[in-house]
Each structure stands twice: as structure tokens, then as C-alpha cells.
């Protein structure tokens, strides 16, 4: 059961616009635009209002690569039970449902992300089971496919996540990680699946394009 997220939902609506991510024109998301207040807010301003950084307001390069891969390869997801970990905007979860997954669970620990991903799922006409919880360390609850988009950007979250993803891979799940060479991407125990050039902005990534790779995470490092 989700808590009451009325305030967070209002905040998402007030601070975003319905847009598409460059690599995924078929999915509309409530995202920060260059004219939305959240784009202009500094980290200090957000901290002063006790707000976490709005990761959910952007479709990150790693997540876009993962979503593109699922949309272009529906056989990899069709009929599968899917977990989208650290879902943010929910882009990969929506792509998985649109590609024929039998069920998608999306989890994030940020109340605003959960509000945004519920709005985004509704906007795209898909049903996703959403949880506001830290799933790291949980046993495989029947997931055939586990998705993790852009999760190697800070420690200790990255190490905890990778250790757990390897445990899920050992349990028999296919685990896919979308990543544009973030600082804490593991150096081994990954198999390259596909890569995409993802258009981004200098304000967000310091560059106009990032090469994002979809990796399959192995059980062993
Ligand atoms: C860079 S964003 C990536 C969002 C999305 N997957 C994408 O690719 O666009 C990272 C997300 O991880 C979430 N997160 C961080 N720690 C988490 C945890 N322990 N469990 C679930 N989500 C977490 C953050 O709230 C944020 O939404």
C-alpha cells in the first residue's frame, strides 16, 4: 500500500511538463523542462526546502538505453515478471509493460519519484505495481527480469545495489543494468548487450551526447 502522495503529486505536476526523452519518443513523461522551476532550482535551494535532488524529473541516459532496448526487443520481456529497481520517472517500467511483460513492479525510495511514476504510468495507459521501499537485499520474489537504470552514480548505493543484483542473477533472474560509464560501474562481471548514443544537455551531464550501455549483470564479479 502506498502512503498518501497528494502533495508530492501536486508538486510533480506544478514543476514539470509532459515531454519525451530523446531516445524514447513513444513514451510521454512528466519531466523538468528548461523553463520549469525545478530545472532552475539549485541544490542549496532544494536542501533548504528539505527536498531530495529531483532524479525522477529526468530520464537518465542509462535508463533511456534500457528502455530503448526493451522496446526494440519485446521478445526479451514478453510474458515476463519484471522488477524495475530505482525506477525514478518509471520510464523503463513503462517500456517493459508496453513490450508485453506480464507484470511490472517498480520501486523507489523517493516519495516524489513514486508520485511521478504513478502519473507517468497513467499517462501512458499501463498498470504498474509501485512500491515506496528499499528492496536492496530482498530475495527474488519471482522476478524473471530485473532492470536497474543509472544506479552507479554514488557510493555506497552502487556497491550495495550491485552485490544484490548479482544475488538476483544467481537466483536465475536476467539482470540488466543501463549505464553511461558512471563512476561506480563495476569493472568486471558485466556482459555488454547493446549501446546507444543518448542526446543529453550540458547543464545535466556536461556534454551533448553520452554513450550508454546496457549490461547483463553476472552472478560472479
Ligand atoms: C539517477 S536516478 C535513475 C532513475 C531511472 N532509473 C532512470 O534511469 O531514469 C536514481 C534513482 O535511484 C533511486 N534510489 C536511490 N537509492 C535507492 C534505493 N535504495 N532503492 C530504490 N531506489 C533508490 C533514487 O530515488 C532515484 O530515483
Amino acid at each position: 500500500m502506498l502512503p498518501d502522495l497528494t502533495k508530492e503529486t501536486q508538486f510533480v505536476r506544478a514543476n514539470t511538463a509532459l515531454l519525451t526523452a530523446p531516445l524514447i519518443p513513444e513514451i510521454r513523461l512528466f519531466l523538468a523542462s528548461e523553463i520549469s522551476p525545478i530545472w532552475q532550482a539549485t541544490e542549496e535551494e532544494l536542501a533548504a526546502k528539505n527536498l531530495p535532488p529531483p532524479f525522477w524529473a529526468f530520464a537518465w541516459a542509462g535508463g533511456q538505453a534500457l528502455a530503448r532496448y526493451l522496446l526494440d526487443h519485446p521478445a526479451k520481456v514478453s510474458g515476463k515478471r519484471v522488477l524495475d529497481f530505482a525506477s525514478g520517472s518509471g520510464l523503463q517500467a513503462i517500456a517493459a509493460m508496453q513490450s508485453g511483460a506480464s507484470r511490472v513492479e517498480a520501486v523507489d525510495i523517493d516519495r516524489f519519484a513514486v508520485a511521478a511514476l504513478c502519473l507517468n504510468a497513467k499517462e501512458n495507459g499501463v498498470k504498474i505495481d509501485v512500491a515506496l521501499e528499499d528492496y536492496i537485499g530482498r530475495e527474488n520474489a519471482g522476478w524473471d527480469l530485473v532492470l536497474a537504470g543509472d544506479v552507479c552514480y554514488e557510493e555506497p548505493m552502487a556497491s550495495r545495489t550491485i552485490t544484490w543484483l548479482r544475488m538476483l542473477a544467481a537466483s536465475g533472474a536476467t539482470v540488466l543494468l543501463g549505464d553511461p560509464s558512471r563512476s561506480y560501474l563495476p569493472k568486471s562481471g558485466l556482459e555488454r548487450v547493446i549501446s546507444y548514443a543518448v542526446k543529453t544537455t550540458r547543464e545535466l551531464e556536461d556534454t551533448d551526447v553520452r554513450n550508454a550501455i546496457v549490461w547483463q549483470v553476472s552472478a560472479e564479479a
Side-chain angles (χ1 to χ4, degrees):
M1 261 292 270
L2 287 178
D4 179 9
L5 296 173
T6 308
K7 275 196 195 139
E8 288 80 1
T9 303
Q10 284 166 351
F11 182 90
V12 173
R13 284 190 181 280
N15 287 278
T16 59
L18 260 179
L19 299 167
T20 55
L23 210 56
I24 322 288
E26 57 270 71
I27 296 178
R28 299 206 316 159
L29 302 169
F30 288 90
L31 296 176
S33 74
E34 283 170 48
I35 51 158
S36 57
I38 208 159
W39 176 276
Q40 286 150 9
T42 63
E43 250 175 68
E44 292 76 37
E45 283 165 351
L46 291 168
K49 289 183 188 159
N50 219 7
L51 295 173
F55 289 118
W56 52 268
F58 303 93
W60 295 90
Q64 286 192 53
L66 209 41
R68 188 71 267 152
Y69 175 70
L70 299 178
L71 289 166
D72 291 347
H73 302 83
K76 301 284 179 192
V77 62
S78 178
K80 303 231 162 103
R81 186 169 158 189
V82 178
L83 173 69
D84 182 28
F85 168 73
S87 195
S89 69
L91 174 61
Q92 300 101 84
I94 295 166
M97 270 320 277
Q98 288 191 345
S99 298
S102 61
R103 178 181 175 193
V104 177
E105 289 160 78
V107 296
D108 203 290
I109 50 168
D110 179 349
R111 295 172 68 92
F112 294 92
V114 167
L117 83 87
C118 289
L119 279 176
N120 288 331
K122 199 165 166 213
E123 180 63 31
N124 290 279
V126 292
K127 185 188 163 293
I128 289 169
D129 294 319
V130 181
L132 174 64
E133 266 183 79
D134 189 344
Y135 270 31
I136 297 178
R138 282 205 185 186
E139 291 204 355
N140 190 338
W143 304 307
D144 306 301
L145 177 63
V146 177
L147 309 171
D150 233 309
V151 292
C152 296
Y153 57 98
E154 72 182 16
E155 282 288 26
M157 186 248 198
S159 312
R160 286 179 66 221
T161 299
I162 297 295
T163 303
W164 175 56
L165 294 179
R166 293 201 194 286
M167 185 187 108
L168 294 176
S171 77
T174 299
V175 180
L176 298 178
L177 174 72
D179 182 273
S181 302
R182 298 280 181 224
S183 304
Y184 303 103
L185 179 73
K187 304 267 180 293
S188 63
L190 299 175
E191 263 177 65
R192 188 182 169 288
V193 177
I194 199 164
S195 69
Y196 299 93
V198 185
K199 259 206 208 161
T200 174
T201 61
R202 285 183 182 266
E203 288 88 342
L204 199 60
E205 297 273 17
D206 263 342
T207 176
D208 297 324
V209 180
R210 290 207 69 142
N211 185 42
I213 300 180
V214 176
W215 298 98
Q216 179 162 349
V217 179
S218 310
E220 301 291 326

